[in-house]
Amino acid sequence: MKKIGIITIHSDLNYGAFLQAFALTSFLRKNGYDASIIDYRKIPNHPRLYKFPLNIIYKLYNLPRLYRYRSFISPMLSKYRYNSLKELSSFNEEYDLLITGSDQIWNPLCGGLGKLNPAYFLAFAPNNRYKKIAYGSSVGSYIFNKEEQIQVKQWLNDFTHLSTRELAGSQQLESFLHRKVKVVLDPTLLIDKEEWLKYSKKCTITEKYVLVYYIDELDEVVSYARKIADYYGWKVALITNMAKKHPNVDIKIPHCGPAQFLWLFDKAEYIVTNSFHGTAFAINFNKDFISVIKRNSPQRAQTLLNNVGLPERLLTNIEDVDKLPSHINYDEPNKKLNELRQDSISYLLNAIEN
């Protein structure tokens, strides 16, 4: 049995990051590999820089959510924990190969250092000891400068297989690496709805609701949800870690862990999100949804929606809600998603075995 180490963004309190890390590890284990996540704890992308006593209050408020996150992912983690690049430099674990990905690990704005993070390019691992693969590694909307291109090319030179989640990212990397960079599905889409729901846990919501899952620009996303909820007579439910209640939200859901996140997506009447992973789960769970465009980083959602034949679900104007059909016919999108899933699975397993 091959032993595989995965390095990715898994320590931020972010549902997408956690679930993509969980998905890739779970998929590999289900396919007969001894896979685990290398427990490298980077600096959070957006740390809450509260002063005393607000920093203590914030940490205490989020303890239930932190516990749910940690308990969900802990069975997937490696034996050793690495809190810095210095600690990672002594890496000597017994893996047959290493995978970097998925998520925006190659985006300097997301790597925890404010610059390229060598950990996510497996720079800590000796080339003569470990086979290296990139699966679904994303640069987001970031454009490498010439100096960064030289460094990235040096780090990726010894990878046997390279892949990313977005067409734009693939094209950018191919332009200076001069080698094929395949576009694959995010790991969360390697697992179907039925498998995901095995890990879900019920929340105490009895009313019909439009679920809001956002990354930023909350007011805009909620305005879309409010319009849909008012039309159908539903409630607006918001996944949030904020103590303050939003005036246009009926149900605030704090302390939500990944297992509760899955249940909320499954039971929602409609989903409004500006998150790539929110869009991915809405499609995977065959939900009616709107993906509100993230103007600073639309590439990820655009690639996915175009590939499954649902580009019209990405909206830039609230007035366009009225132009959408009331329900999504998933016959064709499911067919395309299954084809993409099989292609991505074949690519990943072939990369490991060959």
Side-chain angles (χ1 to χ4, degrees), residues 105-111 113-118 121 139 141-157 172-173 175-177:
I105 54 172
W106 291 347
N107 184 342
L109 304 179
C110 297
L113 301 179
K115 59 182 180 180
L116 292 171
N117 190 332
F121 294 87
V139 301
S141 59
Y142 191 82
I143 305 297
F144 296 121
N145 61 38
K146 290 295 183 181
E147 184 178 339
E148 289 169 333
Q149 288 180 10
I150 293 170
Q151 181 62 82
V152 169
K153 187 172 184 178
Q154 179 183 333
W155 281 332
L156 296 181
N157 187 52
Q172 181 187 178
L173 289 165
S175 71
F176 66 86
L177 294 177

Side-chain angles (χ1 to χ4, degrees), residues 10 19 35 106 150 163 241 275 310 330 332:
H10 73 282
L19 291 170
W106 291 347
I150 293 170
S163 63
N241 64 334
S275 154
L310 293 171
Y330 269 99
E332 194 61 27

Side-chain angles (χ1 to χ4, degrees), residues 15-34:
Y15 300 104
F18 256 65
L19 291 170
Q20 64 82 23
F22 179 92
L24 184 56
T25 312
S26 177
F27 171 82
L28 291 173
R29 288 183 176 184
K30 190 174 181 181
N31 280 272
Y33 299 105
D34 182 6

